[in-house]
Amino acid sequence: GAVVSQHPSRVICKSGTSVKIECRSLDFQATTMFWYRQFPKQSLMLMATSNEGSKATYEQGVEKDKFLINHASLTLSTLTVTSAHPEDSSFYICSARGAGMADTQYFGPGTRLTVL
Amino acid sequence: DAKTTQPPSMDCAEGRAANLPCNHSTISGNEYVYWYRQIHSQGPQYIIHGLKNNETNEMASLIITEDRKSSTLILPHATLRDTAVYYCIAYFNNAGNMLTFGGGTRLMVKP
């Protein structure tokens, strides 16, 4: 199956700093990438959808100025959590979907963010 | 996308078949049934999907009822590594849509 990677796998940062998470599709071109967030014992919640070369579409309640998403190429999307606070601590997961793959979404392994 | 209903948890003995049910009574004609699973602290893993016909791959089989209102994911010989949360999602897979996750079924495979 298609492979999606994320980096870093876990990050610890101080409150007020910014953190960038990378999501890469390794063996296919991802026309659309998605960012999800998952709090402990909860299901995945979609944060935003991004298409290559265009601005991301954010779900209701997700601050676009706080969670900056860039999808500059067909294999890379980045999520930057700006001015992180402890309540932003969560498991962030990206997924990717490419044309010609029956539109199946493939997920990355996730990034565990801890804000102190 | 249509709402799906799954039991919150199930147990299965190692080596036996695990049959995970899913109700999707409001599914529309162009929505597929997708199954993913999430092992603890990992991203979801795609398992299988289908529209009307039963499907089988190296991981599992998917049985969809004729009226498409329910389906069953079958893991033929469950192992301890199959312990995970299994998500059933009704999804119209065109460019503008995205997967929406419900609560899933927590499958515990026991020795």
Side-chain angles (χ1 to χ4, degrees), chain A residues 36 38 43 46 97 102-103 105, chain B residues 36 38 91 93 95 97 99 102:
Chain A
Y36 292 80
Q38 185 175 34
S43 191
L46 180 67
R97 182 175 68 199
D103 290 309
Q105 279 183 236
Chain B
Y36 285 81
Q38 187 177 25
Y91 169 57
N93 59 353
N97 277 1
L99 293 169

Side-chain angles (χ1 to χ4, degrees), chain B residues 19-20 22 24 33 35 48 52-56 60-66 70-74:
Chain B
N19 297 291
L20 293 93
C22 179
H24 30 79
V33 179
W35 283 83
I48 199 168
K52 293 190 288 190
N53 299 323
N54 298 336
E55 301 288 343
T56 295
S61 294
L62 174 60
I63 308 298
I64 302 173
T65 58
E66 196 167 335
S70 66
S71 60
T72 302
L73 179 75
I74 301 172

